[in-house]
Amino acid sequence: MTKIPYNRVHVRGDVLFTARGGNIHSFSLLDGSHISAWQHPDVAKVAEAMKAIADAQKAGEAEETQGQIQGTEESEPPAKRQKREGDEGAGADDAPAQKEDVVVPGDAPKEHSKKKGKGGKGNASAKKQVARVPDRPVITLLNSTTDGQHVLAVSGHDKVIWVFEHDGQGGLSLLNQRWTMPKRPCAIAIAPDAQIICADKFGDVYALPLIMTERSPSSGAGRVSTSTPAKKSSEPAANTFTVHSQRNLEALENQRKQLELQRQKAAEKEEGPGFDLTLLLGHVSMLTSLVLAESDGRRYIVTSDRDEHIRVSRYIPQAHVIEGFCLGHKEFVSEVAIPASRGDILISGGGDEELFVWDWKAGKLLSKASILSLAREIAPDTSKVAVTGICSLTYPSESGDLTYVLVICEQIKAIFTWQLTPDNILNHPGVIQLPANPLQLAVANAEPNSNTLPKIIVAADPGQASEAKSLQIFALAMSEGRLSVAKELPVHDDKLESSAAEASDKEIHNLLYTVENLRKQTGGTDGEAGEDEPEADVEGDIPAKEA
């Protein structure tokens, strides 16, 4: 068992927000001190269930050992004992007291059948109950508004978007709202008009409010439509007074259960989402990334998917209008990013060997740079890469601000860097080696007219390497156009590290290493829809629901 690592990092001003499993922490970027923490309600449930299972396993081992001892004793000749008064009628092998079952919260205890033992007493052996551990909560996305007043987090296991109020100093308070999405969110952005733009793995993009407002019962516009409420089912005409045979009684009970299940499903449909949820657009493939763009005073939604597409759509209320595509990838596109200082440029990467630079408005490919060749400098046997993060950094220099692009890939212990030149070429490639696999990367740009250096924050998976850290902050320097680490800054999370939850290496891998799974398998499976993907529409890239 190893500690669950930090898997999400997000910077807003001098505050660093991090996610570790189902916990959110905030740190000061000035001195690395811990500020606040929030825990998903399901974290305690998982811990309680794991403890119950561990206790049950210990009890089972003890019972097995006792059984072995008893078996050894039974193989020997029984010792003679003197008959005493009161022994008449007593069983020679009276059963020990029955062991109680371990009941995991949320699971009902199972009934046990008792068999009569010798001597007439009940000899009940406890059945082992299969305890179900709740899904482990993991914060999969972190974001914040540009003014820093609100922070958003997505917990993937329950498909919930959490909205926090931020005091500007790292303190978080959960607002009395949580958005449960129809499908698991895979990308999220916050628009200036207080709208949350959320994409899910099914291929849909929704808009929902940042702040909860009362929903008018008569207003149907802008909401996900619900089906017509089912008619109320009547009770069966028969009852226990008119039905007498055992077979008919069982049929009557099954009929009542079916009617109750129908009522429950009808009630769930009537409830629907408790907030305005507007479907904006959809892909026919699994969505992977989303960013908001702006050009000439008009806003756009840029989305990417598993089928090598990058789509540029207009913003609300014309999100159904496709402005264009950026086509050129031959493998899945997992990440897209627009540099803060270059709003006309889009950087994309995924399962291809190269990083792509686009004029996203014109759908024109401007340049490419090889990621695989850089990866082979530190791992010569590398045959493919899967991009898991792209971000931009502004580095102040005497000649003006320079724009850098930073990329991390799944299970490659490095950060790859390029300088984005004014003519849109990725120049001065560099490699910053890391002691552990990076899971996410965030950037804190230097303040204008200050002597501070830009910083990068890395959430990494140390695995079994005890000397590696899961959260690191580096100040960067520039030499001959390439970025390098000037110094490592402290992060005071020793207490958090010691109390972090543990999981098996396999479970951590399944939770946090998912990008390479987007690669389509050869041998006739190309193009098949995934578990959460809709089937392709014959019309092409526009799903039938938009037609």
Side-chain angles (χ1 to χ4, degrees), residues 481-493:
R482 290 180 172 84
L483 294 178
S484 61
V485 173
K487 59 180 178 179
E488 183 177 354
L489 304 177
V491 180
H492 303 292
D493 67 335

Side-chain angles (χ1 to χ4, degrees), residues 103-118:
V103 180
V104 177
D107 291 341
K110 295 183 180 179
E111 296 182 357
H112 300 285
S113 59
K114 297 182 178 180
K115 296 182 180 179
K116 295 292 182 179
K118 297 177 183 179

Side-chain angles (χ1 to χ4, degrees), residues 7-8 19 138-143 152-155 185-188 198-199:
N7 63 297
R8 288 284 145 183
V138 176
I139 303 300
T140 56
L141 298 170
L142 277 178
N143 209 335
L152 267 65
V154 174
S155 48
C186 62
I188 197 167
C198 175

Side-chain angles (χ1 to χ4, degrees), residues 12 47 53 125 127 149 178 186 236 239 315 322 394 418 427 457 464 472 477 486 511 523:
R12 180 57 63 189
I53 291 176
S125 61
K127 294 182 180 179
Q149 294 184 5
R178 46 180 285 179
C186 62
N239 56 56
Y315 189 69
I322 299 176
T394 301
W418 294 266
N427 203 359
I457 300 92
Q464 300 294 337
Q472 292 179 296
L511 286 172

Side-chain angles (χ1 to χ4, degrees), residues 389-509:
I390 302 175
C391 57
S392 63
L393 180 145
T394 301
Y395 197 98
S397 69
E398 297 179 355
S399 58
D401 291 342
L402 302 176
T403 299
Y404 283 85
V405 176
L406 291 78
V407 172
I408 56 174
C409 298
E410 194 165 82
Q411 296 193 11
I412 298 180
K413 299 178 181 179
I415 302 172
F416 306 117
T417 67
W418 294 266
Q419 184 185 127
L420 181 62
T421 64
D423 54 352
N424 305 314
I425 302 296
L426 293 172
N427 203 359
H428 300 298
V431 179
I432 299 176
Q433 289 191 254
L434 300 172
N437 291 327
L439 298 175
Q440 202 190 22
L441 185 67
V443 168
N445 288 311
E447 294 293 332
N449 303 321
S450 67
N451 295 325
T452 60
L453 295 174
K455 305 178 184 69
I456 55 173
I457 300 92
V458 182
D461 177 20
Q464 300 294 337
S466 58
E467 69 280 359
K469 297 179 181 179
S470 180
L471 183 63
Q472 292 179 296
I473 304 177
F474 301 105
L476 297 180
M478 183 184 64
S479 176
E480 298 181 353
R482 290 180 172 84
L483 294 178
S484 61
V485 173
K487 59 180 178 179
E488 183 177 354
L489 304 177
V491 180
H492 303 292
D493 67 335
D494 295 339
K495 293 183 179 179
L496 302 177
E497 183 69 26
S498 60
S499 61
E502 294 183 341
S504 65
D505 292 340
K506 181 179 180 180
E507 184 178 5
I508 291 175
H509 187 277

